Amino acid sequence: MVTGTLIYEGKAKKLFTTGHPDEVLQYFKDDATAFNAQKRGTILDKGIINNKVSERLFRLLEENGVPTHFVERKSDREMLTKKVTIVPVEVVVRNVIAGSLAKRLGLKEGEAIQPPIVEWYYKNDALGDPLIADEHVRLLKLATPEQMAEIKGLALKVNSVLQPFFAERRMVLVDFKLEFGVHNGRLILADEISPDTCRFWDQATRESMDKDRFRKDLGKIEEAYQEVLKRVCG
Ligand code: TMP
């Protein structure tokens, strides 16, 4: 059980101190929000599923040379991680047209994007996490040009590892969001990689197996999360 003090409570996770100054405990909640928290709900056992799916994917990425904040999964809902200073940029990688990209540019969902697109969003709830250009990252001093180049390279590397992993599990990795942090002066992958932060479509039916079921009220949300857990960790 959690014994540290609460450092931060976000929409889907809480962060606690540990006995180690260099490490932080992530606690995964069942709370779900969408549209900058205008829509709220809970997804039964989501915290457990996101913790386990994130563990599997962080381990896979580490094995493939991507540095991550993952240290150890402590329990169903707790993950021990390296303490980082988060880069306040949400990094989105897209393989298929969907979501805000389709809406913003008037494109039809479902067409493949080749090569994949990497986008930056300013991590700022008050502004609703707006899409920004490289120049805005520089203007706001969110990351240095060197860090941006490294983040882009790492994001594409993550994609090249995860895409075949999900394909083998009969899933299309449509798009996903990553967050990076600095630990001991080094950029590492942080946060989580889960059905909350990715779009997965079943390869055969093209049905959503992720948080879009909650965002769009598609039903069978818990079933979809359980199916992702089964295919990823099963
Ligand atoms: P978008 O199409 O709504 O911009 O979402 C792109 C990807 O980012 C999708 O896989 C869901 C993920 N995402 C988050 O993880 N957090 C967010 O707040 C949003 C809006 C999207």
Side-chain angles (χ1 to χ4, degrees):
M1 243 338 267
V2 174
T3 52
T5 53
L6 184 69
I7 303 169
Y8 174 80
E9 178 156 8
K11 286 175 257 187
K13 293 189 293 297
K14 294 182 193 177
L15 299 182
F16 292 91
T17 59
T18 65
H20 197 304
D22 232 25
E23 292 176 348
V24 163
L25 193 80
Q26 285 198 144
Y27 178 92
F28 288 77
K29 304 190 284 184
D30 285 351
D31 300 348
T33 65
F35 316 117
N36 204 13
Q38 288 177 65
K39 177 176 177 141
R40 291 173 183 276
T42 54
I43 300 173
L44 186 69
D45 291 343
K46 170 172 87 77
I48 299 171
I49 294 168
N50 286 0
N51 191 18
K52 291 182 176 173
V53 168
S54 290
E55 175 195 18
R56 178 74 181 92
L57 299 179
F58 282 142
R59 284 187 190 279
L60 174 75
L61 291 166
E62 288 276 357
E63 285 162 16
N64 284 277
V66 177
T68 79
H69 72 158
F70 177 79
V71 177
E72 188 184 3
R73 186 168 63 79
K74 284 291 194 188
S75 71
D76 271 0
R77 291 179 184 274
E78 295 164 346
M79 177 185 284
L80 189 63
T81 64
K82 292 170 191 155
K83 189 173 185 173
V84 296
T85 305
I86 284 285
V87 176
V89 173
E90 298 198 348
V91 183
V92 170
V93 180
R94 299 184 186 272
N95 296 307
V96 179
I97 293 170
S100 70
L101 176 68
K103 203 167 170 193
R104 181 177 301 111
L105 301 185
L107 298 170
K108 202 167 127 285
E109 288 211 339
E111 288 205 12
I113 302 169
Q114 193 52 252
I117 289 174
V118 180
E119 297 172 337
W120 315 111
Y121 291 82
Y122 181 21
K123 195 172 154 61
N124 182 318
D125 283 339
L127 298 176
D129 297 346
L131 175 70
I132 53 176
D134 286 30
E135 289 77 1
H136 303 133
V137 176
R138 210 161 302 155
L139 175 71
L140 295 166
K141 295 191 169 57
L142 306 179
T144 66
E146 293 74 27
Q147 284 176 322
M148 287 170 68
E150 194 179 340
I151 288 173
K152 188 168 178 183
L154 285 169
L156 289 170
K157 175 77 193 274
V158 169
N159 191 43
S160 68
V161 173
L162 295 189
Q163 234 189 350
F165 176 85
F166 284 105
E168 283 164 20
R169 285 155 183 80
R170 297 169 284 115
M171 295 159 83
V172 179
L173 178 61
V174 172
D175 54 33
F176 57 93
K177 184 265 295 179
L178 301 174
E179 294 188 27
F180 290 84
V182 179
H183 177 82
N184 291 336
R186 184 172 175 233
L187 267 175
I188 61 177
L189 185 59
D191 195 50
E192 65 179 281
I193 311 178
S194 72
D196 272 17
T197 64
C198 303
R199 280 196 180 93
F200 308 121
W201 292 349
D202 179 80
Q203 224 168 53
T205 65
R206 308 282 276 183
E207 274 198 56
S208 292
M209 305 175 66
D210 57 68
K211 197 173 160 189
D212 267 353
R213 302 203 72 83
F214 170 77
R215 294 189 189 99
K216 301 181 183 175
D217 292 320
L218 298 176
K220 296 197 174 164
I221 304 169
E222 274 90 5
E223 288 88 336
Y225 275 68
Q226 292 288 352
E227 182 61 24
V228 172
L229 176 69
K230 201 168 107 193
R231 293 199 199 177
V232 170
C233 302

